Amino acid sequence: MDVSSAIRIVIGAMLIAIGLPLFALARYFSSAEDKKNQTVRDIKIIAITWISVGVLLYLVVLITNLNY
């Protein structure tokens, strides 16, 4: 594995590590009032985006490493 692949793995791990707690926090706040629900929906979108980007980075690294 080269350095760029290792960096992508670390970045992917960091994005997932940021996204998962945000998603858990959003789920916690989702059982509240209407105003909180709007904020929670926005947090969920951000969290899912972070998680998705992290997973995509992992997939890119794994797919490119399989070609070697």
Side-chain angles (χ1 to χ4, degrees):
M1 180 184 311
D2 59 342
V3 175
S4 64
S5 294
I7 290 173
R8 286 185 190 148
I9 287 178
V10 170
I11 291 172
M14 290 175 60
L15 291 174
I16 293 171
I18 292 169
L20 286 176
L22 278 176
F23 188 74
L25 183 64
R27 285 182 51 104
Y28 173 77
F29 285 127
S30 66
S31 63
E33 306 152 8
D34 288 340
K35 186 175 181 180
K36 284 187 179 179
N37 286 337
Q38 176 66 29
T39 304
V40 167
R41 188 177 64 86
D42 295 339
I43 292 174
K44 281 183 182 179
I45 291 170
I46 293 169
I48 290 170
T49 304
W50 279 95
I51 294 169
S52 300
V53 170
V55 169
L56 286 174
L57 276 174
Y58 269 124
L59 290 176
V60 165
V61 169
L62 290 175
I63 289 171
T64 56
N65 282 336
L66 289 177
N67 291 335
Y68 293 114

